[in-house]
Amino acid sequence: MASVAYNFMVVDPNAHSRRYSEQNGFDHYDPRDNRPLPDPIREYNSKSPTHRNSSVAVDLGEGSGSLKRRRSRKKSMNGGDKVKDDRIKVQVCVQFFKVGEIDTLKEQYTADVIVRSRWREPSLDGQLSEGGDITDVRKYWNPKLYIENSYGDHKEMFRYRLVFNDKGEAYMTEKRTVKGTFMENLELDDFPFDVQDLTVTVASEFPYTDVEVVEDLENHHMVNKQSFVDEQEWHLYSHTECIQRELTIDQFDPSVRRSAVSVKCRAARRPGYFVWNIFMITFLICTLSFATFSVDKWLPQNRLQLSFTLVLTAVAFKSVVNQSLPRISYLTYMDKYLLASMFMMSAVCTWHGVVTTLEGNKPLANFIEYIVLGCLAAIYVVYNIGFCILIYVFPCKKRRIMAQKDVEHNKRDDHRKHELNQNNARPKNSY
């Protein structure tokens, strides 16, 4: 029987990557995927202008991944001009990492936000060896995203990676960490029982006919409640909502529009401070106006002096309260209550001046004054009860809706965590 000799040779699996690193000037490499490990993080301070539509994106150049080439390649891959919508879709996910102070007077808030975006890179499909961190992003196409409602100077940090899905399709991902101030048009109709939206709007510099910014359905938006700064004044909800929008850049040319998504979290104001320091004090001041009926009705100068003092106190108190609110053209719930109390005190002052006309018939004057005192007191009590019911029905209803959305959001999170734990607990086949 012929004997067969086997020669064994020891092969270094990292030899190719080591030679590649030596030839290209890299000092270290990753033995897990045989690729060099460049530094993927670029950080800079962008001095962006205060205009909301100004761009803070970096001009990454056209390079080999220009928009025209991508559009023509996409048409050729899908059968030429038969494609109805050949816009490049950029999927965006926003995470509120840290929500800072919410300034009601300036209508703005500070936050640390992480914006994750990804888009297709067809030129790298199937090239799994190219996956990982990207150092030279100028040779790839970039949607040039920016934060539309950012204000003032802010700090940004970028990181780019190339990832592949199960089909081998290449996706370019961008992780943008933004720390700054964001503008927000606050709706103060329900103040101080209001619930405010805290919005981050992400848009692209390209026209909406070329790039479509959409919500990333695979990566979920997130709100970090543990690092909320204004916890004493606001209650931050954990759920988020996303709305797709089109921004009009040129008012004279409505066709110049850009695609954008607005991701919002919500915060409810804690009304305890205003209830005890404003509503309660106003209630006591207005209640004291009924004590002026104890003064002899035939001494109107004494009655009016006390009543006018209370009215001026309420006016001065309202002026101090208005300093904590922006100059808005509508009435808040607090304005309505303060004005109603002042109307009640004005009615008391009016009666003190009218009662002197009945001096000739004192029994009739006493009878009418009892009726007026009872009617004014009843109206004031009914108004306060109705005001409390109104607050419970309308402003508090929105809070109950937000709380229900939080419960549903937490259930979905628990369900996703349960599925993830089940997938991790399944035994894996070993080869």
Side-chain angles (χ1 to χ4, degrees):
M1 181 180 296
S3 61
V4 180
Y6 295 91
N7 295 327
F8 295 92
M9 180 177 62
V10 178
V11 180
D12 185 5
N14 300 324
H16 175 72
S17 59
R18 185 178 294 107
R19 288 195 301 271
Y20 178 81
S21 301
E22 293 175 355
Q23 294 174 2
N24 292 274
F26 293 102
D27 296 332
H28 58 286
Y29 62 94
D30 189 353
R32 294 173 296 180
D33 52 3
N34 298 331
R35 289 184 297 103
L37 290 177
D39 185 10
I41 299 178
R42 298 184 296 109
E43 183 176 0
Y44 69 97
N45 290 329
S46 61
K47 302 296 183 179
S48 61
T50 59
H51 196 275
R52 292 191 180 185
N53 294 330
S54 60
S55 171
V56 296
V58 182
D59 188 2
L60 300 177
E62 297 296 333
S64 61
S66 63
L67 181 61
K68 294 182 179 179
R69 188 172 302 177
R70 287 174 59 91
R71 291 170 63 90
S72 61
R73 180 168 58 248
K74 189 171 182 180
K75 286 185 178 181
S76 61
M77 293 174 61
N78 292 276
D81 297 333
K82 296 182 180 180
V83 181
K84 295 182 180 179
D85 187 3
D86 59 349
R87 293 183 295 177
I88 301 174
K89 291 188 177 181
V90 180
Q91 304 180 48
V92 175
C93 171
V94 177
Q95 298 176 350
F96 294 87
F97 181 72
K98 181 179 180 181
V99 180
E101 181 183 1
I102 303 175
D103 194 337
T104 304
L105 186 61
K106 296 182 179 179
E107 295 189 274
Q108 62 187 23
Y109 71 97
T110 59
D112 294 354
V113 179
I114 299 177
V115 180
R116 300 179 183 270
S117 57
R118 62 191 181 104
W119 57 90
R120 287 276 288 114
E121 189 60 45
S123 61
L124 299 177
D125 286 349
Q127 303 181 19
L128 301 180
S129 60
E130 299 292 334
D133 296 322
I134 302 297
T135 54
D136 188 9
V137 296
R138 291 176 295 179
K139 61 181 181 180
Y140 300 107
W141 180 83
N142 191 283
K144 297 183 179 180
L145 301 178
Y146 68 97
I147 309 298
E148 191 270 339
N149 62 326
S150 62
Y151 178 80
D153 299 336
H154 58 274
K155 186 177 181 181
E156 289 187 339
M157 185 172 65
F158 295 87
R159 182 174 182 176
Y160 294 90
R161 289 181 60 86
L162 183 64
V163 297
F164 297 86
N165 59 9
D166 297 336
K167 300 179 181 179
E169 297 176 342
Y171 283 86
M172 185 69 68
T173 63
E174 176 189 89
K175 179 183 177 182
R176 178 190 303 235
T177 304
V178 183
K179 181 178 182 180
T181 304
F182 303 90
M183 302 297 297
E184 184 65 43
N185 294 325
L186 302 182
E187 298 178 359
L188 300 173
D189 302 78
D190 299 336
F191 180 86
F193 310 97
D194 52 331
V195 177
Q196 298 297 338
D197 296 338
L198 306 179
T199 309
V200 172
T201 302
V202 182
S204 173
E205 289 188 4
F206 290 102
Y208 79 103
T209 55
D210 297 334
V211 174
E212 181 183 11
V213 182
V214 297
E215 180 184 6
D216 193 346
L217 300 179
E218 296 183 4
N219 298 320
H220 302 281
H221 309 292
M222 185 194 70
V223 179
N224 186 13
K225 297 178 60 176
Q226 297 179 355
S227 59
F228 184 43
V229 176
D230 255 357
E231 185 66 30
Q232 295 294 331
E233 187 176 351
W234 297 83
H235 170 72
L236 186 65
Y237 294 101
S238 58
H239 71 275
T240 59
E241 289 187 4
C242 182
I243 301 176
Q244 191 170 356
R245 303 171 53 191
E246 288 184 358
L247 305 178
T248 302
I249 305 303
D250 190 352
Q251 300 295 335
F252 298 97
D253 188 3
S255 62
V256 182
R257 291 177 292 176
R258 296 175 181 174
S259 178
V261 291
S262 296
V263 181
K264 61 180 69 175
C265 66
R266 292 186 171 93
R269 194 188 306 271
R270 299 184 185 272
Y273 172 83
F274 301 95
V275 170
W276 296 110
N277 293 277
I278 296 178
F279 286 97
M280 182 58 67
I281 293 178
T282 304
F283 174 78
L284 295 177
I285 292 175
C286 188
T287 304
L288 289 176
S289 64
F290 294 101
T292 58
F293 283 89
S294 61
V295 181
D296 188 2
K297 66 176 68 64
W298 310 122
L299 298 175
Q301 63 275 13
N302 295 339
R303 282 190 171 188
L304 292 175
Q305 183 180 4
L306 296 174
S307 300
F308 287 160
T309 302
L310 294 175
V311 171
L312 294 176
T313 303
V315 171
F317 188 70
K318 188 178 186 304
S319 300
V320 174
V321 171
N322 288 338
Q323 294 179 2
S324 60
L325 291 175
R327 296 180 180 178
I328 52 180
S329 59
Y330 51 87
L331 296 178
T332 65
Y333 272 90
M334 188 172 64
D335 293 332
K336 295 175 183 178
Y337 187 82
L338 294 177
L339 290 176
S341 300
M342 294 180 65
F343 279 127
M344 180 59 63
M345 289 185 286
S346 299
V348 172
C349 293
T350 302
W351 168 251
H352 292 334
V354 172
V355 71
T356 57
T357 60
L358 302 176
E359 187 176 1
N361 193 348
K362 293 184 178 180
L364 180 62
N366 293 332
F367 177 74
I368 295 178
E369 184 168 76
Y370 290 144
I371 295 177
V372 170
L373 177 60
C375 291
L376 292 178
I379 292 174
Y380 189 62
V381 171
V382 171
Y383 173 77
N384 281 274
I385 296 175
F387 187 80
C388 295
I389 296 175
L390 191 67
I391 291 175
Y392 178 80
V393 172
F394 293 103
C396 293
K397 180 180 178 181
K398 189 173 183 180
R399 291 172 176 257
R400 293 191 294 270
I401 294 175
M402 297 298 107
Q404 182 63 29
K405 290 185 177 181
D406 258 15
V407 172
E408 297 175 357
H409 177 268
N410 294 333
K411 288 182 179 179
R412 289 194 298 267
D413 278 353
D414 294 340
H415 182 67
R416 285 195 295 265
K417 292 179 181 178
H418 181 68
E419 290 184 348
L420 182 61
N421 293 333
Q422 285 184 344
N423 294 333
N424 294 334
R426 291 176 182 175
K428 298 181 180 180
N429 297 329
S430 59
Y431 296 95

